[in-house]
Amino acid sequence: MAHDDAGSSPAGEGRRSAFPELPDGAPAVPADAPPARGTRPAVPAGIDASATPTGAAAEAPAPPAAGGTAPHRVTAVLGSMMAGGIAAVFGTVLHGQLVHLGPTALPVGALAALVLAGSLFLLCGLWARNVILTAVAGAVAYGIVALLSTSSKTLILTGSSEAAPGTALAGNLWLFGVLAVTLAAVVTGSVLLRPVRRR
């Protein structure tokens, strides 16, 4: 009778295999072997397997929202009103600058003031992500410009003037141009803030 290495018992008798008994043809895998690549580890009973995060995708944090967050409503309104006041004051100071080409006076100051005002109006809407605040900034600016045009100190010369036709043209362009650039800024802001449609 053949004996095993210990010499105490016949070979195949009195000894248990280190691996559990499996059906014929099934590979024997140790109990503490790591799971094969591409397979999910076993989940203990009583735990929802669908709620268990697996892989690096489940551990990765969600990406931040594009463009950050919009400011608080009160802050946005106050900022838009301030921008409208700044545009009105600086535009009024700037609009009277004329460039003379012979007998013709070009109102370059008024054009520059309108570009400044329109840029500030549009910036307010894009900053607050609300095109209404673009209109708020434009309304505040127009209100201040209208009040300055009625001042006795003639800060803004409107109407017609034979003595200073270039100055009167610049005043009219600045006063009524504020409304035009406000409308243009609202339309531009509406296009830029339109959500991108997914195909």
Side-chain angles (χ1 to χ4, degrees):
M1 181 179 297
H3 290 76
D4 58 2
D5 295 339
S8 59
S9 63
E13 295 182 8
R15 299 187 64 185
R16 294 184 178 179
S17 173
F19 304 104
E21 296 181 2
L22 298 175
D24 294 337
V29 180
D32 57 349
R37 182 177 298 178
T39 61
R40 297 184 61 179
V43 180
I47 299 179
D48 186 6
S50 62
T52 305
T54 58
E59 299 176 358
T69 57
H72 192 269
R73 182 176 300 178
V74 176
T75 303
V77 171
L78 292 178
S80 298
M81 295 177 66
M82 184 179 300
I86 292 174
V89 172
F90 281 90
T92 300
V93 173
L94 182 62
H95 88 283
Q97 304 299 320
L98 302 174
V99 173
H100 294 274
L101 292 178
T104 305
L106 301 178
V108 294
L111 296 176
L114 292 175
V115 171
L116 171 65
S119 301
L120 286 176
F121 301 161
L122 179 60
L123 182 61
C124 288
L126 297 180
W127 168 61
R129 291 174 179 77
N130 191 343
V131 73
I132 296 177
L133 295 181
T134 297
V136 169
V140 171
Y142 181 75
I144 295 176
V145 171
L147 288 176
L148 293 176
S149 66
T150 60
S151 173
S152 59
K153 295 182 180 180
T154 317
L155 298 175
I156 301 175
L157 180 62
T158 58
S160 59
S161 174
E162 295 180 359
T167 304
L169 175 61
N172 290 324
L173 187 61
W174 170 232
L175 176 62
F176 299 106
V178 173
L179 295 177
V181 296
T182 300
L183 180 60
V186 168
V187 173
T188 304
S190 300
V191 173
L192 294 178
L193 293 175
R194 182 183 303 170
V196 180
R197 296 179 180 178
R198 296 182 179 180
R199 295 182 179 180

